[in-house]
Amino acid sequence: MAEVRNQKGVSRRILLMTLWLTLLMLVVKVGAAWATRSLSIVAESLHTAIDGFSTVLSLIALSAPNRQPGREVWGHGRLEAGLALLLVALLGFAGLSLFGLAVEQLAIDPALRTLPPVRMRLSVIGLLAIVSLASLGLALFERKVSRALDSSILKLNARHILQDAWLTFFLLFGLFGIWRGYAWFDPFLTIVMVITAGLSCWRVLNWQLPLMVRQVAIAPEAIGQIVRQIQGVTQCYEVRSRGIVGRQVFVEMRVTVHPEFLGASEWIVEQIEGAIRDRYGPVQVMIFVEEAQNELQHPFEQVRSDQSSREMDWN
């Protein structure tokens, strides 16, 4: 238990450090966009905002005191759902606005001779290059720690930051072209960055959305049929499941056993978990075992985690 708490503490500190550095990078990018009047830098900042949202979501999931151990991998509540809706609203407004401005610039004057020029400077390009290197180093460090701690949260967060770092390097080449006089690079890069920001946001929500609504992962009838086949089990009820089959599923239930099998509760729990895992893949099971003749006595709670699920690569 102490080791688990220590790992969570390390993960929390790393996520806090990542959040502050991400916010600092966002401020630098917005400042660079303001100084150069570059739409493409603003559009690329959307990716950094998505990284910050992902980090905040991970911190909430890891720090909430009312969550069961490991629940942060597959379950979120109203706060996270509200943040997701807020992100989509802000990203949609900013992305559509930038996309419209870029298309309008290209449509009015493809050469951009009649529009205010982008005041690109080598100093700004150098500053953004430093930010990109810092982002890359942060992502690699977080990924290394995630492997050492076997933390799916850190691994997922590092992946988002790493994608943003590569996009920033791609942007630097375009900014260098703008500095050399190819003004049409700016609206073109803006369109590319807005589209990729939408895809990045969709990847985050595609991972989180099925979990935030807490939809039923497995039909209770199917789980009940499997459980009742275990020797000694007389009844299975209050079956709840959430998550995504094949990725990770959390199952909670109550079972009653024949009095003669009450001493073999641990064996029954292992058999139930193994049968569900063989059928549906990585699972974490919480089972309350009770005596069939008196359901108020001999409570037994057993929580087990599928160790193989730790090796899964969370997207």
Side-chain angles (χ1 to χ4, degrees):
M1 180 65 67
E3 183 179 357
V4 173
R5 292 179 179 176
N6 183 56
Q7 290 181 354
K8 293 184 68 173
V10 173
S11 300
R12 188 179 297 111
R13 288 193 294 270
I14 291 177
L15 287 173
L16 283 172
M17 179 187 67
T18 301
L19 179 60
W20 284 113
L21 289 177
T22 301
L23 293 177
L24 178 61
M25 294 174 189
L26 181 61
V27 171
V28 171
K29 291 179 180 180
V30 172
W34 179 268
T36 59
R37 295 190 292 192
S38 172
L39 292 179
S40 58
I41 300 179
V42 178
E44 204 282 330
S45 300
L46 298 178
H47 290 273
T48 308
I50 295 174
D51 295 338
F53 165 77
S54 176
T55 305
V56 170
L57 192 63
S58 299
L59 272 171
I60 293 174
L62 190 64
S63 303
N66 60 338
R67 296 180 185 275
Q68 299 161 357
R71 179 181 166 185
E72 67 275 2
V73 176
W74 59 79
H76 297 289
R78 295 180 180 179
L79 177 59
E80 296 92 321
L83 289 175
L85 293 175
L86 180 62
L87 173 71
V88 172
L90 294 177
L91 184 64
F93 175 77
L96 291 177
S97 299
L98 291 171
F99 189 88
L101 288 174
V103 172
E104 183 179 0
Q105 287 184 359
L106 291 176
I108 293 177
D109 185 4
L112 303 183
R113 292 186 297 269
T114 61
L115 297 175
V118 178
R119 298 176 298 190
M120 190 57 58
R121 308 185 187 98
L122 283 178
S123 58
V124 174
I125 298 176
L127 179 62
L128 291 178
I130 295 175
V131 170
S132 302
L133 291 174
S135 180
L136 179 61
L138 176 63
L140 295 177
F141 170 75
E142 191 171 358
R143 188 170 66 175
K144 181 179 179 181
V145 175
S146 69
R147 293 174 178 174
L149 299 179
D150 197 16
S151 172
S152 58
I153 286 182
L154 294 180
K155 188 182 300 182
L156 177 65
N157 199 65
R159 179 175 300 173
H160 289 308
I161 297 176
L162 190 60
Q163 291 174 351
D164 180 48
W166 293 126
L167 282 173
T168 306
F169 281 119
F170 173 75
L171 178 67
L172 291 175
F173 289 101
L175 297 180
F176 185 77
I178 296 173
W179 178 73
R180 294 298 301 266
Y182 298 96
W184 62 271
F185 274 18
D186 190 59
F188 174 75
L189 287 174
T190 301
I191 295 174
V192 173
M193 291 298 166
V194 169
I195 294 176
T196 54
L199 295 175
S200 179
C201 181
W202 171 249
R203 281 194 295 266
V204 173
L205 296 180
N206 187 45
W207 171 258
Q208 302 291 357
L209 191 57
L211 310 176
M212 287 189 289
V213 299
R214 298 183 183 180
Q215 63 184 11
V216 176
I218 307 172
E221 297 80 6
I223 296 179
Q225 184 178 3
I226 294 175
V227 173
R228 283 190 292 269
Q229 294 176 356
I230 304 300
Q231 186 178 10
V233 175
T234 61
Q235 187 180 3
C236 175
Y237 59 99
E238 293 185 12
V239 179
R240 292 185 291 269
S241 66
R242 60 181 178 270
I244 300 177
V245 176
R247 183 184 295 176
Q248 181 74 17
V249 176
F250 174 76
V251 179
E252 183 179 1
M253 72 183 75
R254 290 182 178 273
V255 299
T256 57
V257 300
H258 193 277
E260 295 181 358
F261 289 85
L262 192 60
S265 296
E266 290 191 37
W267 177 84
I268 292 176
V269 168
E270 292 176 355
Q271 294 299 311
I272 293 174
E273 181 183 3
I276 297 175
R277 183 172 59 246
D278 293 341
R279 179 73 178 273
Y280 295 104
V283 295
Q284 182 169 342
V285 181
M286 175 176 288
I287 304 175
F288 298 90
V289 180
E290 300 169 344
E291 185 179 355
Q293 294 181 352
N294 187 353
E295 297 182 0
L296 298 179
Q297 297 180 357
H298 304 292
F300 179 84
E301 178 181 340
Q302 180 74 20
V303 181
R304 293 185 180 275
S305 300
D306 179 15
Q307 300 296 330
S308 62
S309 65
R310 297 181 179 179
E311 300 177 359
M312 295 183 63
D313 186 12
W314 305 93
N315 187 11

XYZ file of all heavy atoms in Angstrom, residues 68-104:
271
model
N -11.619 4.780 -6.324
C -10.987 3.526 -5.948
C -9.673 3.387 -6.698
O -9.523 3.925 -7.800
C -11.912 2.355 -6.288
C -13.229 2.435 -5.538
C -14.293 1.584 -6.170
O -14.072 0.976 -7.208
N -15.455 1.557 -5.549
N -8.707 2.678 -6.143
C -7.405 2.544 -6.788
C -7.542 1.987 -8.192
O -8.182 0.975 -8.420
C -6.656 1.568 -5.864
C -7.320 1.726 -4.529
C -8.761 2.001 -4.827
N -6.921 2.667 -9.145
C -6.942 2.234 -10.529
C -8.111 2.760 -11.322
O -8.130 2.652 -12.526
N -9.112 3.359 -10.650
C -10.289 3.821 -11.377
C -9.950 4.928 -12.353
O -10.668 5.152 -13.318
C -11.335 4.309 -10.376
C -12.599 4.841 -11.026
C -13.578 5.318 -9.976
N -14.632 6.106 -10.575
C -15.572 6.722 -9.904
N -15.577 6.661 -8.592
N -16.498 7.429 -10.515
N -8.834 5.663 -12.083
C -8.492 6.755 -12.970
C -8.229 6.264 -14.392
O -8.254 7.051 -15.338
C -7.252 7.505 -12.460
C -5.960 6.689 -12.493
C -5.802 5.831 -11.244
O -6.711 5.840 -10.384
O -4.768 5.170 -11.120
N -8.004 4.991 -14.565
C -7.716 4.466 -15.901
C -8.971 4.437 -16.755
O -8.907 4.600 -17.958
C -7.115 3.044 -15.786
C -6.900 2.441 -17.149
C -5.804 3.098 -15.020
N -10.160 4.261 -16.139
C -11.335 4.047 -16.970
C -12.573 4.830 -16.568
O -13.584 4.739 -17.238
C -11.708 2.573 -16.978
C -11.987 2.032 -15.632
C -13.128 2.176 -14.904
C -11.115 1.253 -14.844
N -13.027 1.545 -13.704
C -11.789 0.955 -13.637
C -9.827 0.774 -15.024
C -11.211 0.205 -12.634
C -9.269 0.018 -14.030
C -9.947 -0.257 -12.858
N -12.562 5.592 -15.498
C -13.786 6.273 -15.104
C -13.581 7.737 -14.803
O -12.607 8.119 -14.167
N -14.492 8.595 -15.228
C -14.453 10.019 -14.927
C -15.847 10.478 -14.559
O -16.843 9.837 -14.855
C -13.921 10.816 -16.113
C -12.518 10.469 -16.470
N -11.442 10.816 -15.703
C -12.002 9.767 -17.509
C -10.323 10.353 -16.250
N -10.639 9.706 -17.341
N -15.903 11.630 -13.929
C -17.176 12.125 -13.436
C -17.635 13.380 -14.147
O -17.192 13.719 -15.239
N -18.531 14.130 -13.463
C -19.151 15.293 -14.086
C -18.140 16.410 -14.351
O -18.263 17.135 -15.340
C -20.260 15.807 -13.190
C -21.425 14.835 -13.035
C -22.490 15.415 -12.129
N -23.607 14.492 -11.973
C -24.667 14.735 -11.215
N -24.742 15.869 -10.537
N -25.636 13.847 -11.128
N -17.186 16.588 -13.432
C -16.207 17.656 -13.599
C -15.417 17.465 -14.882
O -15.233 18.405 -15.666
C -15.265 17.700 -12.391
C -14.138 18.734 -12.466
C -14.709 20.141 -12.607
C -13.253 18.632 -11.232
N -14.932 16.237 -15.102
C -14.156 15.975 -16.311
C -15.014 16.117 -17.559
O -14.565 16.604 -18.588
C -13.548 14.567 -16.251
C -12.530 14.369 -15.134
C -13.194 13.848 -13.869
O -14.313 14.309 -13.570
O -12.598 13.009 -13.183
N -16.267 15.663 -17.473
C -17.158 15.809 -18.619
C -17.413 17.283 -18.929
O -17.444 17.694 -20.097
C -18.483 15.098 -18.341
N -17.584 18.101 -17.874
C -17.758 19.535 -18.089
C -16.533 20.177 -18.708
O -16.640 21.039 -19.588
N -15.346 19.771 -18.251
C -14.119 20.299 -18.845
C -13.990 19.894 -20.310
O -13.516 20.680 -21.138
C -12.903 19.784 -18.059
C -12.707 20.376 -16.663
C -11.537 19.695 -15.969
C -12.476 21.873 -16.739
N -14.412 18.677 -20.630
C -14.350 18.229 -22.020
C -15.272 19.064 -22.903
O -14.898 19.474 -24.013
C -14.724 16.755 -22.111
N -16.478 19.342 -22.422
C -17.401 20.177 -23.195
C -16.857 21.594 -23.355
O -17.001 22.210 -24.422
C -18.771 20.205 -22.506
C -19.533 18.872 -22.479
C -20.809 19.018 -21.671
C -19.846 18.417 -23.899
N -16.245 22.124 -22.291
C -15.654 23.457 -22.377
C -14.517 23.488 -23.384
O -14.385 24.442 -24.171
C -15.153 23.889 -20.994
C -14.494 25.275 -20.903
C -15.497 26.363 -21.275
C -13.940 25.507 -19.500
N -13.693 22.453 -23.370
C -12.592 22.386 -24.337
C -13.114 22.353 -25.765
O -12.609 23.066 -26.636
C -11.743 21.143 -24.061
C -10.661 20.852 -25.109
C -9.540 21.870 -25.007
C -10.110 19.444 -24.956
N -14.124 21.531 -26.005
C -14.679 21.435 -27.355
C -15.253 22.775 -27.798
O -15.080 23.208 -28.947
C -15.739 20.327 -27.413
C -16.462 20.338 -28.752
C -15.092 18.964 -27.188
N -15.942 23.479 -26.888
C -16.529 24.763 -27.238
C -15.450 25.792 -27.584
O -15.526 26.480 -28.623
C -17.400 25.271 -26.090
N -14.436 25.906 -26.728
C -13.368 26.877 -26.985
C -12.563 26.515 -28.222
O -12.237 27.375 -29.044
C -12.453 26.972 -25.756
C -13.088 27.540 -24.477
C -12.091 27.505 -23.337
C -13.566 28.968 -24.722
N -12.245 25.228 -28.337
C -11.464 24.795 -29.487
C -12.254 24.970 -30.781
O -11.698 25.374 -31.809
C -11.050 23.341 -29.309
C -10.132 22.748 -30.385
C -8.797 23.470 -30.388
C -9.924 21.259 -30.160
N -13.549 24.683 -30.727
C -14.372 24.857 -31.916
C -14.451 26.307 -32.349
O -14.316 26.622 -33.534
N -14.662 27.212 -31.384
C -14.748 28.634 -31.722
C -13.418 29.154 -32.272
O -13.371 29.807 -33.328
C -15.154 29.427 -30.486
C -15.147 30.915 -30.693
C -16.177 31.537 -31.377
C -14.100 31.695 -30.202
C -16.176 32.915 -31.578
C -14.084 33.068 -30.394
C -15.132 33.684 -31.076
N -12.315 28.854 -31.547
C -11.013 29.353 -31.984
C -10.590 28.715 -33.299
O -10.082 29.391 -34.206
C -9.972 29.071 -30.903
N -10.806 27.404 -33.429
C -10.390 26.711 -34.648
C -11.149 27.185 -35.868
O -10.554 27.448 -36.924
N -12.463 27.325 -35.753
C -13.255 27.793 -36.901
C -12.909 29.231 -37.266
O -12.876 29.594 -38.455
C -14.744 27.657 -36.582
C -15.284 26.225 -36.492
C -16.746 26.231 -36.095
C -15.111 25.506 -37.828
N -12.646 30.054 -36.260
C -12.275 31.442 -36.537
C -10.946 31.509 -37.284
O -10.805 32.237 -38.281
C -12.197 32.236 -35.232
O -13.440 32.246 -34.565
N -9.957 30.772 -36.793
C -8.652 30.769 -37.458
C -8.748 30.173 -38.854
O -8.124 30.683 -39.803
C -7.647 29.983 -36.620
C -7.234 30.614 -35.284
C -6.416 29.628 -34.459
C -6.437 31.896 -35.534
N -9.502 29.108 -38.989
C -9.664 28.477 -40.294
C -10.313 29.449 -41.284
O -9.884 29.564 -42.438
C -10.519 27.215 -40.152
C -10.579 26.370 -41.395
C -9.622 25.401 -41.627
C -11.593 26.544 -42.325
C -9.674 24.603 -42.764
C -11.663 25.770 -43.466
C -10.695 24.804 -43.691
N -11.347 30.158 -40.833
C -12.010 31.118 -41.704
C -11.101 32.259 -42.115
O -11.097 32.680 -43.282
N -10.300 32.783 -41.174
C -9.376 33.870 -41.506
C -8.320 33.421 -42.506
O -7.970 34.160 -43.437
C -8.702 34.379 -40.226
C -9.571 35.191 -39.262
C -8.810 35.487 -37.983
C -10.024 36.495 -39.926
N -7.805 32.193 -42.313
C -6.768 31.699 -43.227
C -7.325 31.500 -44.628
O -6.693 31.876 -45.626
C -6.202 30.382 -42.683
N -8.512 30.918 -44.731
C -9.124 30.724 -46.045
C -9.431 32.061 -46.695
O -9.225 32.255 -47.908
C -10.403 29.877 -45.911
C -11.162 29.833 -47.225
C -10.056 28.465 -45.460
N -9.876 33.019 -45.912
C -10.179 34.348 -46.457
C -8.921 35.028 -46.979
O -8.941 35.674 -48.031
C -10.829 35.200 -45.378
C -11.260 36.576 -45.859
C -11.917 37.390 -44.758
O -12.039 36.878 -43.630
O -12.301 38.542 -45.032
